[in-house]
Amino acid sequence: MPTLSPSSRTSHSENRASHWATGSEISVLPRIFDDNINLAVMHRNLSASLRISIQAQCQVERAWQLSWLGKPDDELRADLVRKLPVPKAAEPLVEDIQLLAEAMAYLFDTDTVGIRLRLLDAAMCPRFHCDNLPVRLVTTYSGPGSEWLPESAVNRAGLGAPGADKPEILADRGAIQRLQPGDIALLKGSGWVGNEEHALVHRSPELSSGQKRLLLTIDPA
């Protein structure tokens, strides 16, 4: 499996009664295959060169996005360099994206991955929801990370399209959790067999005026 640099934070954290696992080693990510786990998070520190590369891609006037569906190979690398707004500063970011794509393909035994990289200037999905897919890798390179809810704070009857008869999804506002920039998170969705009623509930964070967020998502395809 590709090598990823860990964080200096605690190496592993999990409550037996919880549905998430966190740690600073790549070994925490395969915990997503555990029946009771619907979120696995690897904490990591972004290198100085990667932070500079990220910042360069964020210093543009307009929001942008790019997508890729295929093998995480040299063609992916070339496409990213071609499409990123500041190609001359792209190499560290491109290397990291390819590394994560290779890790995702390895972990889920697939040759093909779907990648989306977006510079956002507003919340993309501000309402708490579940993804209707098996699993997704999410990492925020810059700006606030995705927010998620422990199961104890969720009223699942409120999920889905909003309506006058729908109850509030959030049962405890103090329980909202947030991923940190650099965190590599695997979110299990309702498309995972056996997890149809237990998909992770999450949302995009609010952005203040002028704030930007660089978000990467990778799906096994």
Side-chain angles (χ1 to χ4, degrees), residues 189-212:
S190 59
W192 187 291
V193 175
N195 195 63
E196 293 84 355
E197 305 300 323
H198 303 285
L200 185 77
V201 178
H202 62 286
R203 70 178 180 187
S204 300
E206 291 186 7
L207 300 181
S208 57
S209 178
Q211 190 175 31
K212 296 177 181 178

Side-chain angles (χ1 to χ4, degrees), residues 94 106 109 113 171 205:
V94 169
Y106 177 93
D109 192 22
V113 293

Side-chain angles (χ1 to χ4, degrees), residues 25-221:
E25 301 295 335
I26 196 171
S27 58
V28 73
L29 295 180
R31 295 297 313 280
I32 198 67
F33 291 101
D34 293 0
D35 290 342
N36 64 310
I37 297 295
N38 65 7
L39 173 67
V41 182
M42 176 185 165
H43 303 303
R44 63 170 182 158
N45 295 319
L46 302 178
S47 68
S49 61
L50 179 52
R51 292 197 302 270
I52 292 170
S53 182
I54 291 165
Q55 189 63 24
Q57 310 310 321
C58 294
Q59 292 179 338
V60 294
E61 291 186 9
R62 297 182 179 180
W64 54 264
Q65 66 175 330
L66 59 85
S67 60
W68 167 269
L69 179 62
K71 296 181 179 180
D73 54 16
D74 289 343
E75 191 174 347
L76 166 62
R77 175 184 291 269
D79 192 66
L80 288 172
V81 172
R82 183 168 57 250
K83 291 180 178 178
L84 282 169
V86 188
K88 65 181 181 180
E91 184 175 352
L93 178 58
V94 169
E95 287 184 353
D96 194 71
I97 293 171
Q98 186 168 24
L99 178 64
L100 295 180
E102 290 173 353
M104 196 68 168
Y106 177 93
L107 191 59
F108 292 96
D109 192 22
T110 180
D111 292 330
T112 306
V113 293
I115 298 172
R116 293 186 73 184
L117 182 66
R118 287 164 280 194
L119 181 65
L120 304 166
D121 54 14
M124 183 176 58
C125 301
R127 177 178 166 82
F128 278 113
H129 65 283
C130 300
D131 291 333
N132 186 26
L133 44 73
V135 66
R136 169 167 286 167
L137 181 149
V138 174
T139 191
T140 299
Y141 284 118
S142 181
S146 300
E147 296 177 347
W148 61 276
L149 296 178
E151 190 63 31
S152 60
V154 176
N155 181 355
R156 289 188 176 269
L159 292 170
D165 58 340
K166 283 286 186 72
E168 177 69 30
I169 299 170
L170 183 57
D172 179 5
R173 291 190 174 275
I176 298 174
Q177 306 293 308
R178 175 176 285 181
L179 300 172
Q180 298 301 309
D183 284 352
I184 301 167
L186 293 178
L187 284 60
K188 193 181 287 182
S190 59
W192 187 291
V193 175
N195 195 63
E196 293 84 355
E197 305 300 323
H198 303 285
L200 185 77
V201 178
H202 62 286
R203 70 178 180 187
S204 300
E206 291 186 7
L207 300 181
S208 57
S209 178
Q211 190 175 31
K212 296 177 181 178
R213 180 184 183 218
L214 185 59
L215 174 68
L216 173 72
T217 60
I218 304 178
D219 303 335

